Amino acid sequence: MPELPRPCTRTELLRPDGARLSLYLHGTREPDLVLVLAHGWQATAAIWDKTVEQLTRPGTLVVRYDQRGHGGSSTGTARPEIPLLADDLAAVISATAPGDTPVVLAGHSMGGAAVLALAASRPGLIGDKVKAALLVASSGGGLDLAAAAHPPRTRLVGLMRHAVASLCIRAPRTAHRLHNLWQPRLDTQPPIDVAAHWFKALMRHDVTQHLGVLERIPVHILVGEDDPTIPPLHSHRLAADIPNARLRVVPSGCHRLPTRHSSKVVTAVEETCADALRHAGGPSRATPAPTPDARG
């Protein structure tokens, strides 16, 4: 008999700059663990649908949310920066995991960058509140191909990407029309200028000097062998900078692991959650998780 789908509650979280984040809460209101799933650039919380469907953790509250400017979440007025996403993630944790309820963070791509930026900017959460983390197709920095460290041909590609992003920001309607001549943009993708702003934020992202804090908790890293978006080299660097991290490479895996290789992601999520509970000393005393209100 197939499992019944986890009950889902949709709510919003208001941020100080006016952004409204759409949250999707699945499962028990008295959890022994809260699992927060952060999606990547130009995606939505729906990228985790298969993860939610396949998880077998009845005591876990699963929280998905749309990153600002993506899906059902508005952009707000603050400048797009990865540390801003880390602040949003901290707010999601505070709203959905009260008291001493332990938290696991799982981030894909830009969501992984948000997890890493949270660890860098709020190290007190790591080990105290956040008991384990899963980084899927993620990078701690060095994504900008235009950087001086790259050979000339690679830098040229990077400069072209920046030029395209600048066009999208300055003339979004023209850029949108030109893009659709090549490949129609999906309805689920953010406006092209919003996507370009977050592209530039990802190019500026670098927390490589602040990864030591993650040695306090179990860290799992998952990457596709054939990921062209964030090549496996970035995951290997993370594993080298976080000595306690466990790295898995998915054979023939692409960038969109949560949708294309969902069983691998679910296995990694399950193991990360189990590690978190062990790290927390066993199932913690459950605290009812309230529905976040618009006050953030």
Side-chain angles (χ1 to χ4, degrees):
M1 180 177 179
E3 293 186 15
L4 294 175
R6 288 171 175 258
C8 177
T9 300
R10 183 185 183 279
T11 187
E12 288 188 337
L13 191 61
L14 178 63
R15 303 296 293 126
D17 70 323
R20 287 184 176 274
L21 305 183
S22 290
L23 275 63
Y24 311 90
L25 282 62
H26 305 261
T28 178
R29 291 176 57 83
E30 295 187 359
D32 61 6
L33 186 70
V34 174
L35 169 65
V36 181
L37 304 172
H39 70 76
W41 182 57
Q42 297 204 84
T44 70
I47 197 171
W48 298 108
D49 281 354
K50 292 183 179 180
T51 304
V52 175
E53 291 170 3
Q54 297 175 40
L55 275 177
T56 57
R57 300 193 59 83
T60 299
L61 173 66
V62 182
V63 180
R64 298 179 300 137
Y65 68 104
D66 291 326
Q67 303 268 23
R68 59 172 60 220
H70 293 66
S73 296
S74 61
T75 300
T77 59
R79 184 187 186 214
E81 295 284 2
I82 302 303
L84 181 63
L85 299 185
D87 291 343
D88 289 343
L89 178 54
V92 171
I93 294 171
S94 178
T96 60
D100 60 0
T101 309
V103 171
V104 169
L105 301 179
H108 172 255
S109 192
M110 189 173 77
V115 172
L116 292 169
L118 177 73
S121 63
R122 301 180 186 228
L125 287 175
I126 307 303
D128 181 19
K129 187 65 175 174
V130 177
K131 302 298 184 180
L134 170 63
L135 304 169
V136 182
S138 301
S139 172
L143 287 169
D144 191 356
L145 298 183
H150 293 294
R153 186 171 296 180
T154 302
R155 291 193 67 198
L156 179 60
V157 173
L159 291 169
M160 291 177 63
R161 292 167 66 184
H162 276 286
V164 171
S166 295
L167 172 64
C168 293
I169 291 169
R170 294 171 183 169
R173 292 184 180 179
T174 299
H176 184 82
R177 287 196 295 269
L178 290 174
H179 189 286
N180 281 348
L181 291 175
W182 165 58
Q183 182 181 32
R185 284 178 60 77
L186 301 176
D187 292 339
T188 55
Q189 291 179 304
I192 201 165
D193 54 331
V194 172
H197 275 297
W198 285 112
F199 166 80
K200 287 185 172 288
L202 281 165
M203 297 304 101
R204 294 188 293 267
H205 165 65
D206 191 340
V207 294
T208 52
Q209 301 302 312
H210 306 281
L211 297 176
V213 66
L214 287 167
E215 293 186 36
R216 302 175 187 173
I217 61 173
V219 176
H220 292 248
I221 301 173
L222 192 67
V223 66
E225 179 183 32
D226 300 325
D227 187 339
T229 305
I230 300 182
L233 172 64
H234 290 267
S235 290
H236 285 279
R237 287 175 179 167
L238 284 173
D241 290 335
I242 310 169
N244 59 304
R246 181 177 178 181
L247 171 65
R248 294 184 187 82
V249 179
V250 179
S252 303
C254 62
H255 186 63
R256 295 180 66 85
L257 293 178
T259 55
R260 302 289 179 83
H261 299 269
S262 61
S263 63
K264 301 292 187 183
V265 172
V266 170
T267 296
V269 169
E270 294 274 8
E271 292 181 358
T272 307
C273 289
D275 279 352
L277 288 175
R278 282 192 291 268
H279 187 72
S284 71
R285 177 173 52 83
T287 305
T291 300
D293 60 27
R295 292 172 294 179

